[in-house]
Amino acid sequence: MIDTVQHAIDDTDHPQPYAELGLKLDEYERIRAILGRRPTSSELAMYSVMWSEHCSYKSSKVHLRQFGEKAPKTDALLVGIGENAGVVDIGDGWAVTFKVESHNHPSYVEPYQGAATGVGGIVRDIISMGARPLAVMDPLRFGPLDAPDTKRVLPGIVAGVGGYGNCLGLPNIGGEVVFDDTYLGNPLVNALCVGSMRHEDIHLASAKGVGNLVVLYGARTGGDGIGGVSVLASETFDADGPAKRPSVQVGDPFMEKLLIEATLEVLHAGLVEGIQDLGGAGISCATSELASNGEGGMHVWLDRVLLRDETLSPEEILMSESQERMCAIVTPENLDAFLQMCRKWDVEAVVIGEVNDSGRLTVDWHGERIVDVPPRTVAHEGPVYERPYHRPSWQDALQADTPDSLPRPADGEQLRATLLNMVGAPNLASKSWVTSQYDRYVLGNTVLAQPEDSGMVRVDEETGRGIAISTDCNGRFAKLDPYAGAQLALAESYRNVVAGGAIPLAVTNCLNFGSPEDPEVMWQFAEATRGLADGCLQLGIPVTGGNVSFYNQTGDTAILPTPVVGVLGVIDDVDRRTPMAWGPDGELIYLLGDSRDEFAGSEWAHHVHGHLGGLPPQVDLERERLLGEILVAGSRDGMLTAAHDVSDGGVAQTLVEMALKSGVGARCWVPDGVEPFVFLFGESAGRAVVVVPRSEELRFTEMCAARQLPAHRIGVVDSGLGADAGYDAGEQVLQFSDQFTVTLAELRQAHEATLPAVLQT
Amino acid sequence: MRIGVVTFPGTLDDQDAARAVTIAGGEPVALWHGDDDLKGVDAVVLPGGFSYGDYLRCGAISRFAPVMSSLIPAAEGGLPVLGICNGFQVLCESHLLPGALTRNDSLHFICRDQRLRIERTDTMWTGDFTDGQEIVVPLKNGEGCYVADERTLDEIEGEGRVIARYLEVNPNGSRRDIAGISNARGNVVGLMPHPEHAVEALTGPSVDGLGFFTSVLTSLVGTR
């Protein structure tokens, strides 16, 4: 029997399963107060999904406000936080929109489909702003590489990311693959998409114009993903819980490709007044948000929704998270043209509702009223929690447990062994087993892609204007000090963008944390958010949007706090990009910045000693900004052949990656006053290695001196070192004077063997 | 010279193929799967992608598109046609080329810069290369393993219809390292790697791919 509004009025004490739908008692009572009666079962379904943590940001909202309050003044932001994705002006009339979202829990339950639909969802966010998607990136985190469950989860997730993105025709240009014990049982799958449009093509999600029609188009609505939002994203996995597989959605990238083309065609033809993608919370979310952002009223005939399964109940239709669906607001005059363009792309479309000024969202099912609510209370006025938080009881002890007493390699031979061990560590090893499953070439505009510092794509083929993006986070630093850790993530991402020669413009984030109901986790979140907001203000780049993922824990064990930060930069002409591979013999290798004895949270402490403690590397955002200005100037004025950020694994890792990418050896030395081990493996922030042709050396070093950026000459590219070092004459080697020599072949073997050895079956 | 580039639902590399035609000095003409009008083009590229989502079998549904009803007889009549990746699969499904493309032996999608050797320079799409020339172009496929029965393989080898072979690494298990083949007449060529992604130094591993597009222009103007 259908639970109508009239029925809810008549039978007001009917018991309802609010708890099973993830609502707390006080939340349920608030719904009753808003409506002045009990909700119908359809209304309860809508509120439960829209008030879930995933959709309502109820635990994070009070902290996220800082991103707006502390936003630096900038003219670059065309659309700010709150829309599907922020929009940034990159010049010449071009705008770019980008966003990253999590799909962590679905990807653990069903790795392939969880990851695939994560890509699909973020791509729809970008097209619903009116942008053509340009590229995707995927920051991924897993348990230990050799853990049995990693072998189940990782190949499926990678295949899902690739299977969906490749079939959609979007180049995958970067991301991360990180391993840590705390992600075992709770892998992180974050998905980023970036798109571009002309300024005049920006579209927003609002239902304006009384009498305009609500058109649902794309895939049919089915039973997949029902309750996915509330059940999957907002509850901690319980070891003894029932299998949750049916809650994960199933993706169809072919349909998404058609949806992209059809959507861009109707947008460019001017046939759309407002548009919204359907993701988490499906039709409930789209209709309530569109109505809430527009005239405030909407009526929906829910029985008109095209179904894959005719037996679905209205509650299920409202909650279904079937993929590849969009909702557009279209004037009656434009409807025929809209439907015709959909037909051209074999996309089904149907009018399911109408915009009105009633101030209510009403839904009928075969002539009976089943929903009658103020849409703002569903979409925007959900509960807001001031969750209690406090500094963890163990934080002081963790910070006091410094890595200073860990045994360090003492001579050249031990340094050499440490280097070969480190370059093969799962976190530092080549990720090509993963990235070779992604198409990085499609669309023909990819200028830089992994393993480069940032992904860079050309936006305008005439002028060469382009953008660069990087995502980063060292969760170990964030665990040691969440405030500094978030700023270090920002600093690294910023540095990766400037290393390619692009000027940073804006920030997105994906804040992955444990349960907000744990005050110690909530403290990590509050500190990281505060650190990131302060850091963005200092660097002068605003946060344009982002995503929060809570409840990333299994039982009592939370993941490392993982505030993934994405920085977007612009470059006038991608021809001037700085790659990471160095050039021919004789070019000079410089280290920019200061090297300190900083090993807390480092990859060396983690991989060699399994140690995590102390205070993370010092953060100096002014230094990061100065380094950025030098790297951008070096790119613009043609002073640099190559540049590469120094981060995980230290200068040693940076030099090895540059050498392997170019295939040419180098002679390097340790600058005066620095201990060789600290120089090679320390992880001080604010540093980059650059390669300068001899003809540019004076100009470059004078620029650094004038701007007071420390620049140390640490080596020279040299392909002829083999014979002197006791190898064949042609053998390429990396030589550290007075310390050790290692061949690129040995380094490559160590660097590239790790992932295939475990994952190749 | 006007070179048609076909878009099926799910085609992905059509823009790239059109760009390659432009850089080579030709004029790209968009052809739509649902329209059997070839618009009087001088040659046709079937670009890469996942037409119809690769559902049923790669290329199996596209082969029945209205545009193919014109293209198949035109190709049999000598119209130059280059099928890249999914386009190669469509050509095999259309029986314009022998054999089939099946799942990579690794069972993974693979994207890599692939070294090839050009085996034949007397087709309409390879004339600008030199015999035995080694080139590097991107390869990206999930179902690029070229298979045919031994008799067919011997036959195409015997007739010199293998136009390119994988060097160093056979990335997908293709029989006899075959990366591309032609029909007997040399006007229809299928190639698994993607020359349209190697036409600009900025975005490709080389500009070696351009040779396929300049070749057809050269052969069309008859200066060869």
Side-chain angles (χ1 to χ4, degrees):
Chain A
M1 192 185 95
I2 301 303
D3 190 22
T4 62
V5 170
Q6 190 56 48
H7 191 241
I9 293 169
D10 295 342
D11 182 13
T12 196
D13 292 328
H14 185 80
Q16 293 190 285
Y18 63 87
E20 289 82 344
L21 289 167
L23 287 165
K24 310 283 189 232
L25 177 59
D26 58 327
E27 292 172 341
Y28 175 65
E29 283 172 349
R30 212 177 127 213
I31 296 167
R32 293 188 66 121
I34 288 168
L35 299 177
R37 56 173 166 80
R38 75 162 172 89
T40 65
S41 54
S42 294
E43 289 166 342
L44 186 66
M46 289 182 78
Y47 279 105
S48 74
V49 286
M50 289 302 289
W51 285 14
S52 68
E53 188 65 60
H54 182 78
C55 289
S56 73
Y57 292 86
K58 57 191 172 191
S59 301
S60 55
K61 227 177 217 170
V62 296
H63 300 280
L64 299 177
R65 283 187 190 130
Q66 295 172 85
F67 293 138
E69 290 159 5
K70 294 179 184 172
K73 289 219 178 314
T74 171
D75 297 330
L77 202 55
L78 299 173
V79 175
I81 301 177
E83 286 294 336
N84 284 316
V87 181
V88 183
D89 179 10
I90 62 159
D92 288 352
W94 286 104
V96 161
T97 180
F98 74 132
K99 193 178 178 188
V100 56
E101 266 195 353
S102 63
H103 231 221
N104 303 339
H105 288 143
S107 303
Y108 176 66
V109 176
E110 212 302 294
Y112 186 96
Q113 293 297 344
T117 55
V119 176
I122 196 67
V123 169
R124 285 194 301 281
D125 267 345
I126 296 307
I127 52 177
S128 65
M129 298 304 295
R132 174 169 278 282
L134 296 173
V136 294
M137 282 181 139
D138 293 272
L140 307 175
R141 283 169 173 75
F142 302 99
L145 175 60
D146 54 5
D149 201 49
T150 300
K151 281 180 238 176
R152 171 186 75 95
V153 169
L154 188 150
I157 285 173
V158 169
V161 167
Y164 204 96
N166 296 341
C167 187
L168 208 50
L170 293 177
N172 192 315
I173 57 172
E176 301 162 83
V177 179
V178 178
F179 302 95
D180 188 89
D181 289 0
T182 64
Y183 304 118
L184 183 63
N186 205 120
L188 301 186
V189 176
N190 295 174
L192 179 149
C193 183
V194 58
S196 69
M197 71 202 110
R198 303 297 296 169
H199 283 190
E200 58 272 21
D201 291 334
I202 297 172
H203 279 76
L204 302 179
S206 71
K208 294 213 170 64
V210 171
N212 284 343
L213 303 169
V214 183
V215 183
L216 181 66
Y217 66 107
R220 290 189 167 217
T221 300
D224 51 334
I226 289 176
V229 164
S230 53
V231 178
L232 279 179
S234 305
E235 279 182 358
T236 304
F237 283 120
D238 182 342
D240 303 322
K244 290 182 172 171
R245 196 179 308 274
S247 303
V248 178
Q249 316 88 317
V250 176
D252 177 0
F254 173 58
M255 176 51 81
E256 180 108 334
K257 168 70 177 169
L258 300 182
L259 199 59
I260 292 175
E261 299 304 334
T263 300
L264 292 174
E265 212 163 295
V266 294
L267 287 172
H268 290 155
L271 301 177
V272 171
E273 308 304 307
I275 191 159
Q276 169 78 294
D277 63 301
L278 272 73
I283 293 175
S284 297
C285 179
T287 55
S288 62
E289 286 193 354
L290 282 164
S292 180
N293 289 337
E295 304 288 349
M298 181 183 288
H299 180 69
V300 174
W301 298 280
L302 196 63
D303 45 274
R304 294 191 185 179
V305 172
L306 298 174
L307 299 176
R308 252 179 249 167
D309 173 358
E310 294 296 335
T311 66
L312 289 179
S313 69
E315 294 87 348
E316 289 172 317
I317 296 168
L318 285 167
M319 292 173 86
S320 164
E321 295 186 359
S322 287
Q323 299 290 293
E324 294 92 24
R325 297 180 299 165
M326 301 277 288
C327 203
I329 306 298
V330 182
T331 66
E333 306 82 72
N334 285 335
L335 182 66
D336 282 346
F338 183 98
L339 296 177
Q340 196 178 346
M341 283 191 182
C342 286
R343 269 196 300 276
K344 174 187 164 189
W345 288 101
D346 297 330
V347 170
E348 289 188 310
V350 64
V351 174
I352 62 160
E354 191 176 71
V355 178
N356 59 39
D357 55 5
S358 65
R360 312 287 290 185
L361 172 61
T362 50
V363 178
D364 283 1
W365 177 254
H366 295 293
E368 294 196 277
R369 182 69 34 104
I370 56 169
V371 171
D372 185 352
V373 296
R376 282 201 70 77
T377 65
V378 179
H380 294 112
E381 290 166 1
V384 176
Y385 290 148
E386 296 264 4
R387 299 266 192 206
Y389 58 89
H390 61 75
R391 184 180 168 89
S393 53
W394 41 262
Q395 195 77 32
D396 287 340
L398 181 71
Q399 293 183 347
D401 177 23
T402 70
D404 298 349
S405 58
L406 299 175
R408 299 178 170 193
D411 56 27
E413 206 41 48
Q414 289 182 12
L415 284 170
R416 187 181 193 281
T418 303
L419 179 64
L420 285 167
N421 180 11
M422 290 284 285
V423 298
N427 284 331
L428 300 181
S430 167
K431 302 303 184 301
S432 70
W433 188 88
V434 171
T435 56
S436 68
Q437 296 186 48
Y438 304 153
D439 180 353
R440 62 183 176 275
Y441 283 110
V442 64
L443 300 180
N445 287 312
T446 305
V447 177
L448 296 176
Q450 66 276 342
E452 299 279 353
D453 285 315
S454 64
M456 185 181 286
V457 291
R458 178 172 60 186
V459 173
D460 187 327
E461 288 196 39
E462 298 293 312
T463 64
R465 182 169 291 268
I467 51 143
I469 303 191
S470 176
T471 69
D472 293 284
C473 179
N474 183 330
R476 294 190 305 268
F477 292 163
K479 173 109 184 215
L480 297 177
D481 180 345
Y483 182 91
Q487 294 198 337
L488 285 163
L490 171 67
E492 186 182 347
S493 194
Y494 185 93
R495 211 182 304 132
N496 279 325
V497 165
V498 293
I503 300 169
L505 283 183
V507 174
T508 188
N509 58 61
C510 195
L511 307 173
N512 306 276
F513 286 81
S515 168
E517 295 166 41
D518 176 344
E520 297 187 339
V521 169
M522 204 57 213
W523 176 83
Q524 294 176 327
F525 179 77
E527 283 294 288
T529 312
R530 191 169 67 85
L532 184 56
D534 288 349
C536 290
L537 178 59
Q538 201 178 343
L539 286 172
I541 47 176
V543 173
T544 63
N547 176 244
V548 177
S549 175
F550 278 131
Y551 297 99
N552 290 294
Q553 58 185 72
T554 304
D556 290 336
T557 317
I559 58 162
L560 292 175
T562 313
V564 172
V565 179
V567 170
L568 171 87
V570 63
I571 181 164
D572 292 351
D573 184 354
V574 289
D575 237 350
R576 297 189 188 281
R577 79 217 176 273
T578 314
M580 67 186 268
W582 53 50
D585 278 5
E587 292 198 330
L588 302 166
I589 304 169
Y590 272 84
L591 173 63
L592 308 180
D594 292 305
S595 303
R596 290 176 290 266
D597 190 334
E598 294 179 304
F599 285 93
S602 70
E603 191 57 39
W604 173 78
H606 171 72
H607 178 65
V608 176
H609 294 287
H611 177 271
L612 178 59
L615 285 171
Q618 189 177 315
V619 186
D620 180 350
L621 295 175
E622 286 310 317
R623 170 55 67 80
E624 300 286 353
R625 188 212 296 270
L626 173 60
L627 177 69
E629 287 170 4
I630 296 285
L631 288 169
V632 170
S635 150
R636 191 188 54 224
D637 297 340
M639 287 185 266
L640 301 179
T641 309
H644 194 20
D645 141 76
V646 178
S647 54
D648 308 59
V651 169
Q653 177 75 11
T654 301
L655 290 171
V656 168
E657 287 175 355
M658 294 173 90
L660 291 180
K661 182 84 175 162
S662 65
V664 179
R667 184 163 50 86
C668 300
W669 51 85
V670 180
D672 290 342
V674 187
E675 192 191 320
F677 168 71
V678 171
F679 168 74
L680 286 171
F681 300 106
E683 295 191 10
S684 297
R687 296 184 300 165
V689 170
V690 296
V691 179
V692 186
R694 282 186 188 273
S695 58
E696 299 295 330
E697 183 183 21
L698 192 60
R699 192 156 71 114
F700 182 75
T701 51
E702 282 180 348
M703 175 173 72
C704 292
R707 303 293 304 273
Q708 295 179 317
L709 179 70
H712 301 283
R713 194 155 110 174
I714 59 163
V716 56
V717 179
D718 193 338
S719 63
L721 296 166
D724 281 353
Y727 299 96
D728 289 343
E731 189 80 42
Q732 297 303 303
V733 305
L734 204 51
Q735 186 176 73
F736 290 91
S737 300
D738 307 326
Q739 299 296 334
F740 63 90
T741 300
V742 60
T743 67
L744 296 200
E746 289 172 280
L747 289 168
R748 194 179 298 282
Q749 167 63 23
H751 189 54
E752 294 179 355
T754 306
L755 264 61
V758 176
L759 300 170
Q760 206 88 288
T761 46
Chain B
M1 287 293 147
R2 302 171 73 242
I3 313 290
V5 177
V6 178
T7 301
F8 297 100
T11 292
L12 305 178
D13 299 313
D14 40 353
Q15 289 175 55
D16 302 68
R19 184 190 295 113
V21 167
T22 303
I23 292 174
E27 180 196 341
V29 176
L31 300 178
W32 183 245
H33 71 101
D35 187 349
D36 60 10
D37 181 2
L38 296 180
K39 299 184 181 171
V41 294
D42 302 297
V44 169
V45 178
L46 297 178
F50 290 73
S51 61
Y52 292 96
D54 276 357
Y55 296 146
L56 185 57
R57 222 173 36 241
C58 304
I61 302 176
S62 299
R63 171 245 180 286
F64 293 103
V67 73
M68 293 305 293
S69 66
S70 307
L71 186 60
I72 292 170
E76 285 164 349
L79 182 76
V81 178
L82 173 65
I84 304 168
C85 195
N86 189 222
F88 188 5
Q89 294 161 342
V90 174
L91 291 175
C92 290
E93 287 287 340
S94 306
H95 303 296
L96 286 169
L97 293 174
L101 284 312
T102 62
R103 194 131 157 88
N104 294 350
D105 58 352
S106 68
L107 304 182
H108 293 297
F109 183 94
I110 179 139
C111 176
R112 69 189 306 273
D113 299 340
Q114 178 69 43
R115 184 169 291 275
L116 305 176
R117 185 173 55 237
I118 300 295
E119 302 280 55
R120 289 299 296 252
T121 56
D122 54 358
T123 78
M124 300 193 81
W125 295 93
T126 55
D128 283 0
F129 293 104
T130 54
D131 269 328
Q133 186 177 341
E134 294 188 7
I135 65 171
V136 175
V137 296
L139 170 124
K140 41 169 219 181
N141 62 61
E143 309 204 10
C145 175
Y146 182 75
V147 295
D149 59 70
E150 287 300 318
R151 196 171 56 90
T152 304
L153 289 170
D154 290 342
E155 194 176 295
I156 58 176
E157 294 269 17
E159 294 173 9
R161 289 163 53 193
V162 175
I163 64 115
R165 255 185 251 272
Y166 298 117
L167 288 183
E168 293 171 359
V169 173
N170 180 334
N172 45 32
S174 290
R175 299 291 181 274
R176 308 191 189 183
D177 299 332
I178 290 173
I181 58 172
S182 77
N183 64 352
R185 193 167 172 170
N187 65 308
V188 177
V189 165
L191 189 66
M192 193 35 66
H194 288 260
E196 79 283 15
H197 292 321
V199 295
E200 290 182 279
L202 183 68
T203 53
S206 72
V207 294
D208 295 345
L210 206 52
F212 290 92
F213 301 93
T214 58
S215 291
V216 74
L217 297 174
T218 307
S219 57
L220 283 168
V221 297
T223 56
R224 210 162 99 241

